[in-house]
Amino acid sequence: MKQLYIGGAWTAGTSERPNVNPSDLSDIIDTYAQADAAMTEQAISAAAAAFPSWSHSGPQQRYDILQRVADEITARADELGDLLAREEGKTLPEAKGEVLRAAQIFRFFSGEALRLTGETVPSVRPGVGVEITREPMGVVGIITPWNFPIAIPAWKIAPALCYGNTVVFKPADLVPGSAWALADILVRAGVPEGVFNLVMGRGSVVGETILSDKRVAAVTFTGSVNTGKHVAAKCVEHMRKFQLEMGGKNPMVVLDDADISVAVDACVNGAFFSTGQRCTASSRLIVTDGIHDRFIDAVVAKLESLKIGDARAAGTHIGPVVDESQLAVDEGYIAKAKDEGGKLVFGGGRVKCDTEGFYLAPALFTETTQEMTINREEVFGPVASVVRVKDYEEALFAANDTAFGLSSGICTTSLKYATHFRRNAEAGMVMVNLPTAGVDYHVPFGGRKGSSFGPREQGKYAAEFFTTVKTAYTLP
């Protein structure tokens, strides 16, 4: 059984939870300790006690630790990728790519520890000096989702430690394996006692304890919209800083002048790879009249060529849905789309494989309208709908007609339309002739409207959340 890590020691939990492979339900990866409220409070106490020393640690110490983490993740990429694919259901290439992304993130923030700067400016008052610096927040509560079980923890933990904060980390229940492996690497990299704490367990227990403890100075959360709203309310109650990354209903516009092979590859990748379980997935395909029928035929042909199966098997393109509950959600949205008048032109049914798992054939709907539930709510599975429009203006309107604003894409060979779309798409990230899913680690990540709240994640912009600004005036 894999234990919790609290105050510099591996610690047994009050119960344990099995980690089940969604590609093969007979495969129990391991059991993982579960924390209760008292153990979570113990972790917060350890982080609070460690903060004064760690917040004044030198940049070289932080650099060295984060570099060692990056080095070990890189060296163990095959092993960790296999674990990730086994517990979450990403294909092996996708899983290894995510692991290497986590290493890149830690390596980037090791460098940021050496690049943290301030400003010295003259005051409007003669003889007075002004110094502007960034300081760590304190104890940071980190709550992560199941769909990127090592990359998202990395892009929260790495900057938190880089800037001198201490961490209480609660991973998603469904994917404790990658989180535990990352914690183990951090411990062996030399993170001091209390600086990093791993508390696995139910959100209603562990997460709620983090949100209710006034010693937690900031909370960064990625997950559902409803839970994000609850996180926000609890943080406002304690007047603490918070950062939310939530849902998406991302559009991909395909114009008549698009290179159809580029458009098909971008749409199939964005909508269906990683089993569609990405907040940046392009689940709404907005296609103009002139290319619509050819595009649908080409997408269906592409989907017919994809292999659905065990995430770790060679040649698999799409692995299983993460668990039975999510599979039921996906099937519910597919049924509702049919009831509301959508035409299912491909997939949507369960797939039988050599092992019992949560396999679902990617579903493609046509003849849908903006008002349908399938185009308003996030499915978070391998399900995409097509909205037919007459021209670019109608496509742009449809793309922006959503409560979300994370990622937005367009496929076109027109510089005019690409430029206009980049400026007028109501999203935090815009892709031209690229999938809506897939981002770099050194630039900001985040959205608008109902998708995100607070400073951006990743890159140098992470400092906006993980530090606070101090302005000091001095009269010599």
Side-chain angles (χ1 to χ4, degrees):
M1 184 184 74
K2 298 295 192 294
Q3 296 183 316
L4 313 169
Y5 189 73
I6 299 174
W10 292 106
T11 306
T14 56
S15 62
E16 60 188 58
R17 178 187 173 104
N19 189 10
V20 180
N21 179 354
S23 293
D24 180 359
L25 305 188
S26 67
D27 178 25
I28 307 301
I29 299 163
D30 209 327
T31 56
Y32 291 80
Q34 303 286 285
D36 61 8
M39 300 185 84
T40 308
E41 290 173 354
Q42 182 184 346
I44 295 169
S45 295
F51 176 70
S53 174
W54 180 248
S55 65
H56 289 93
S57 60
Q60 188 66 50
Q61 181 184 8
R62 299 180 209 168
Y63 169 89
D64 290 341
I65 290 171
L66 297 180
Q67 273 285 325
R68 286 194 287 268
V69 172
D71 289 344
E72 183 167 343
I73 292 174
T74 302
R76 295 172 58 192
D78 289 335
E79 171 201 346
L80 295 171
D82 185 76
L83 171 62
L84 198 161
R86 188 178 172 200
E87 74 166 349
E88 193 271 342
K90 280 188 177 69
T91 64
L92 272 177
E94 291 173 324
K96 184 175 178 180
E98 181 181 336
V99 168
L100 292 173
R101 173 58 53 87
Q104 291 168 332
I105 292 165
F106 272 98
R107 204 173 307 284
F108 175 86
F109 282 106
S110 69
E112 286 297 277
L114 302 175
R115 290 190 288 263
L116 189 59
T117 60
E119 297 178 73
T120 301
V121 298
S123 170
V124 296
R125 292 170 287 177
V128 173
V130 181
E131 184 182 58
I132 304 164
T133 55
R134 288 190 175 274
E135 297 183 354
M137 295 295 302
V139 177
V140 176
I142 294 177
I143 303 173
T144 60
W146 51 260
N147 62 323
F148 284 88
I150 195 167
I152 291 179
W155 80 46
K156 295 178 186 293
I157 294 168
L161 298 179
C162 162
Y163 297 120
N165 302 282
T166 55
V167 167
V168 177
F169 170 41
K170 183 229 166 309
D173 291 346
L174 288 175
V175 287
S178 296
W180 190 93
L182 180 57
D184 183 50
I185 291 169
L186 280 158
V187 171
R188 281 183 287 102
V191 173
E193 179 180 315
V195 169
F196 171 83
N197 302 271
L198 171 68
V199 279
M200 300 176 287
R202 300 294 300 170
S204 58
V205 177
V206 175
E208 201 62 29
T209 303
I210 291 171
L211 294 177
S212 299
D213 197 307
K214 65 182 180 181
R215 294 172 296 177
V216 177
V219 171
T220 176
F221 166 85
T222 299
S224 71
V225 173
N226 287 338
T227 304
K229 290 179 178 179
H230 176 69
V231 170
K234 294 293 290 187
C235 287
V236 168
E237 178 184 334
H238 292 282
M239 296 299 288
R240 72 162 65 96
K241 200 172 186 179
F242 62 96
Q243 177 186 58
L244 309 176
E245 289 296 341
M246 299 172 288
K249 196 64 189 172
N250 310 293
M252 173 62 85
V253 170
V254 180
L255 298 184
D256 287 352
D257 65 8
D259 180 319
I260 196 162
S261 64
V262 170
V264 169
D265 286 347
C267 290
V268 170
N269 181 308
F272 301 114
F273 283 20
S274 294
T275 323
Q277 296 174 152
R278 300 183 283 196
C279 56
T280 51
S282 45
S283 55
R284 290 188 298 140
L285 309 179
I286 300 168
V287 186
T288 50
D289 277 330
I291 200 172
H292 180 276
D293 293 349
R294 288 186 297 127
F295 173 78
I296 298 303
D297 289 344
V299 170
V300 169
K302 181 74 171 180
L303 292 175
E304 288 174 341
S305 72
L306 300 181
K307 178 183 177 182
I308 296 99
D310 190 315
R312 301 157 76 201
T316 296
H317 297 103
I318 298 176
V321 172
V322 71
D323 73 346
E324 187 172 14
S325 175
Q326 185 60 48
L327 180 58
V329 169
D330 296 348
E331 291 178 323
Y333 276 109
I334 289 169
K336 194 170 187 65
K338 292 178 182 177
D339 291 343
E340 293 182 357
K343 180 181 178 182
L344 182 63
V345 296
F346 187 87
R350 296 198 184 197
V351 177
K352 287 189 176 182
C353 295
D354 293 338
T355 54
E356 184 184 0
F358 304 116
Y359 299 108
L360 180 67
L364 179 67
F365 281 93
T366 61
E367 300 178 21
T368 74
T369 64
Q370 283 291 96
E371 295 74 28
M372 291 181 181
T373 304
I374 197 71
N375 288 321
R376 309 310 297 180
E377 298 180 9
E378 184 178 38
V379 178
F380 220 67
V383 182
S385 54
V386 178
V387 177
R388 188 170 190 156
V389 294
K390 64 180 180 181
D391 54 24
Y392 169 74
E393 287 72 25
E394 187 177 346
L396 177 63
F397 178 84
N400 290 335
D401 182 20
T402 174
F404 298 101
L406 183 56
S407 186
S408 189
I410 188 170
C411 291
T412 180
T413 55
S414 166
L415 179 60
K416 171 187 172 182
Y417 289 135
T419 302
H420 188 272
F421 190 83
R422 287 201 308 267
R423 176 63 184 84
N424 291 280
E426 295 172 358
M429 299 176 290
V430 179
M431 311 292 184
V432 178
N433 296 321
L434 290 165
T436 56
V439 297
D440 292 346
Y441 61 89
H442 66 303
V443 296
F445 176 95
R448 297 162 62 171
K449 297 192 278 189
S451 290
S452 304
F453 185 90
R456 292 288 192 260
E457 297 194 275
Q458 300 202 82
K460 66 180 181 180
Y461 286 81
E464 297 295 329
F465 178 75
F466 290 99
T467 65
T468 185
V469 175
K470 175 181 283 184
T471 306
Y473 296 86
T474 303
L475 177 64

